[in-house]
Amino acid sequence: MHVLGSVIVGNITGLGGGTLNNLITGVAPVGWVKDPKFLAITTAASLAGFYVWPVMERAYRAGREVGGEAYHNLRLLRYSMESVALGSLAVIGAQQGIVRGLHPGISCVLGVTIAFGGVVRDLMCNRNLTLGASEGCQSYGVASLSGAGMYVGLRQLHVWNCAGNTVKLVKGGIPIGLRIGMGFMTVFGVRAYG
């Protein structure tokens, strides 16, 4: 693709899942329309990806030809970066449902639908869909549902444990950082297992 095509695909990938979640939950205008800095960030990331990708692709191909540790490290780096993004999205998507007072099951589903931008990217680029990939546990769907489920489950446990005690609800129980970290690490664990 040329630079404009890459920026369009990058923006749809970066903003598509959040847009879908906003539409599902009735938020209008959607996040990036309300705050254009999100569009600016995804545009900058898309431009960086367009110009950096050929360098990474050459290193990736050279590593594959040589084999060994360099090739493995590049694949691991790419997979890790993808897992960081997916873990973040799973928790953010689930939190969107929690903040809006939705059922815990719906909040978990929002942790999966937030990966929709990647599905559209795969369709636009004629790639195999990774949301429900069957090989190993590459599936974005399984990993993001697991991470969102962990986050929502710990949040529900926190609320149940602190019921009737406002001070404990705000300052005690299961700390928000731990809930976020466990949701995030669950995505990592599922993908590492796969």
Side-chain angles (χ1 to χ4, degrees):
M1 292 183 189
H2 54 69
V3 68
L4 180 60
S6 295
V7 168
I8 290 169
V9 170
N11 278 309
I12 289 172
T13 303
L15 301 170
T19 299
L20 177 65
N21 277 10
N22 284 173
L23 294 173
I24 288 171
T25 58
V27 174
V30 296
W32 62 271
V33 173
K34 216 180 322 182
D35 188 355
K37 77 177 172 200
F38 293 114
L39 181 61
I41 291 168
T42 56
T43 299
S46 299
L47 286 168
F50 179 79
Y51 291 107
V52 171
W53 179 256
V55 174
M56 293 298 293
E57 185 68 23
R58 279 193 296 277
Y60 193 69
R61 284 189 182 146
R64 186 181 316 155
E65 291 168 5
V66 173
E69 193 173 332
Y71 175 66
H72 176 71
N73 288 343
L74 282 172
R75 287 185 64 208
L76 184 61
L77 174 65
R78 188 173 119 207
Y79 195 73
S80 297
M81 288 172 56
E82 192 175 68
S83 296
V84 166
L86 187 61
S88 301
L89 289 174
V91 170
I92 290 168
Q95 181 64 18
Q96 280 184 332
I98 289 169
V99 167
R100 289 175 179 77
L102 300 176
H103 186 276
I106 301 301
S107 296
C108 291
V109 169
L110 291 174
V112 178
T113 58
I114 201 160
F116 182 73
V119 172
V120 175
R121 174 209 56 218
D122 292 343
L123 290 171
M124 289 176 69
C125 296
N126 198 25
R127 293 173 46 184
N128 291 331
L129 294 179
T130 53
L131 186 65
S134 59
E135 68 273 356
C137 211
Q138 298 282 329
S139 172
Y140 282 13
V142 171
S144 59
L145 182 60
S146 300
M150 174 64 76
Y151 177 74
V152 171
L154 288 173
R155 191 265 183 188
Q156 290 300 107
L157 183 62
H158 169 75
V159 170
W160 174 77
N161 185 40
C162 299
N165 187 335
T166 306
V167 173
K168 189 174 180 185
L169 183 65
V170 174
K171 295 187 177 184
I174 304 170
I176 184 73
L178 179 61
R179 289 181 265 156
I180 291 170
M182 291 297 293
F184 189 80
M185 292 310 293
T186 300
V187 171
F188 258 77
V190 168
R191 288 181 55 86
Y193 178 77

